[in-house]
Amino acid sequence: GVTKSLALIPTEFDVAEVRVSKPGIAPAVMVSGERVEIFGATLKHLLTLAYNVQDDRMAGGPGWWETDRFDLIGKAASLVSTETLRVMVRNLVVKRFKLTFHSEDRPVPVLAMTAARQSSKLRDADPFNRSSCKVSFGDGLRIFTCRNTTMAQLSERVRSGAPGDIDLPVVDLTGLTRAYDFAISWSSIAGASTPTGGLTFFEAIEKQLGVKLETQKYPLPVMVVDHVDRVPAEN
C-alpha cells in the first residue's frame, strides 16, 4: 500500500563526503538524478539549498558561516527526485555539522502587496482554467501572465517572475480573496524606467492591477541557528 512505498523513499545518501574546500576553489553546484556535488559553498549557502530558504530568512549563525567554504558530495543508491536529494543534503548537513536550529517569527523586510485606492482593475478568473503563471517576452517587455490566480498565489510566484526586480519576500495584504486572470507587462531591463517610457515592474503592477508593492517590516518564520560545528564530522 501507500505506507509501504513511502517507507522505501531513502532519506540519506548511499555514499557521502563533506570536507573543507581547498583554497581558491570555484563555487559550483551540480545535481543529476542520483548525485549532488557542491564545491566551495559557505554553510549559509548549503543551508539555503538544503532547506529551500532565502538567506534573508536565516539568523543566528556564527560569523564563519558566510566565509568558510565546504564541499559536499553525495550519491544515492538509485535515481531519486530533486526533493528527495534535498532531504538527503539536509540530513547530511545536520549530521556532519551537528546542526540544531528552531523557527521563530521575526520582523523581516518584505514587500507588502496592498490594493491601491483606485477601483480594482482585476478580472475575475474563468474557474475552469488551471491556476498558472508564466513569463514571456516581446517588444522589449517582460510579460507575466497569470490565470485563475489569487493575490496570495501571486505573492508566492512573483519573485520567480520578476527576479531582477524583486529581491525580498512578498506578503499579500490586499484583502482580495478571489482568483483573477491578469497580465503584468514592464520594461524587461531590470531597474529604473527606460527613456522610451517603459514602466518598471512596480509601476506596472500598480497601473495594470491596481496593486501596490512597498517595503516594510513584517513577521515571518525565520530559521534561527542554535548550534553548528565549524569542522564537519569525519566521513
Side-chain angles (χ1 to χ4, degrees), residues 34-56:
E34 76 280 11
R35 198 175 172 86
V36 174
E37 295 180 274
I38 301 168
F39 298 101
T42 62
L43 178 68
K44 198 171 191 184
H45 187 212
L46 284 177
L47 294 179
T48 64
L49 296 170
Y51 288 90
N52 200 17
V53 61
Q54 302 283 346
D55 67 3
D56 51 20

Side-chain angles (χ1 to χ4, degrees), residues 150-172:
T150 63
M151 290 298 103
Q153 287 170 324
L154 176 62
S155 70
E156 287 166 14
R157 297 170 183 173
V158 74
R159 202 167 177 173
S160 62
D165 302 87
I166 294 193
D167 55 1
L168 291 172
V170 178
V171 177
D172 168 35

Side-chain angles (χ1 to χ4, degrees), residues 5-25:
S5 62
L6 280 176
L8 296 175
I9 296 173
T11 56
E12 301 210 336
F13 289 111
D14 211 35
V15 185
E17 185 181 357
V18 181
R19 61 186 182 222
V20 175
S21 301
K22 289 196 170 79
I25 193 163

Side-chain angles (χ1 to χ4, degrees):
V2 175
T3 38
K4 205 166 182 184
S5 62
L6 280 176
L8 296 175
I9 296 173
T11 56
E12 301 210 336
F13 289 111
D14 211 35
V15 185
E17 185 181 357
V18 181
R19 61 186 182 222
V20 175
S21 301
K22 289 196 170 79
I25 193 163
V29 177
M30 287 164 282
V31 179
S32 63
E34 76 280 11
R35 198 175 172 86
V36 174
E37 295 180 274
I38 301 168
F39 298 101
T42 62
L43 178 68
K44 198 171 191 184
H45 187 212
L46 284 177
L47 294 179
T48 64
L49 296 170
Y51 288 90
N52 200 17
V53 61
Q54 302 283 346
D55 67 3
D56 51 20
R57 299 279 290 281
M58 296 193 299
W64 58 262
W65 78 331
E66 292 189 78
T67 54
D68 289 17
R69 295 187 177 273
F70 304 93
D71 303 341
L72 179 154
I73 297 155
K75 190 178 184 312
S78 59
L79 291 175
V80 289
S81 70
T82 308
E83 201 35 60
T84 300
L85 286 174
R86 195 188 292 281
V87 170
M88 291 173 166
V89 171
R90 196 177 294 173
N91 290 335
L92 185 61
V93 168
V94 166
K95 205 167 165 181
R96 296 290 167 87
F97 288 94
K98 308 273 194 291
L99 170 73
T100 57
F101 67 91
H102 67 279
S103 181
E104 64 181 60
D105 283 359
R106 290 189 175 188
V108 295
V110 302
L111 282 169
M113 188 190 284
T114 55
R117 283 199 178 78
Q118 70 257 48
S119 61
S120 175
K121 303 181 175 203
L122 293 159
R123 229 178 41 243
D124 278 348
D126 176 344
F128 295 104
N129 280 337
R130 197 169 138 262
S131 177
S132 67
C133 290
K134 64 177 201 295
V135 176
S136 56
F137 296 89
D139 297 333
L141 295 176
R142 190 181 184 105
I143 303 149
F144 194 50
T145 307
C146 294
R147 296 277 168 265
N148 198 9
T149 297
T150 63
M151 290 298 103
Q153 287 170 324
L154 176 62
S155 70
E156 287 166 14
R157 297 170 183 173
V158 74
R159 202 167 177 173
S160 62
D165 302 87
I166 294 193
D167 55 1
L168 291 172
V170 178
V171 177
D172 168 35
L173 302 178
T174 60
L176 303 169
T177 53
R178 300 213 294 269
Y180 306 99
D181 291 342
F182 54 85
I184 310 161
S185 57
W186 69 102
S187 168
S188 60
I189 301 148
S193 296
T194 59
T196 55
L199 298 173
T200 65
F201 177 79
F202 294 87
E203 292 163 345
I205 197 168
E206 185 170 357
K207 205 166 183 174
Q208 295 157 8
L209 304 194
V211 168
K212 262 186 143 130
L213 283 174
E214 287 174 321
T215 311
Q216 67 172 63
K217 288 268 181 104
Y218 188 82
L220 286 179
V222 169
M223 176 180 179
V224 184
V225 173
D226 299 312
H227 172 84
V228 67
D229 283 358
R230 188 165 190 171
V231 179
E234 286 294 316
N235 296 303

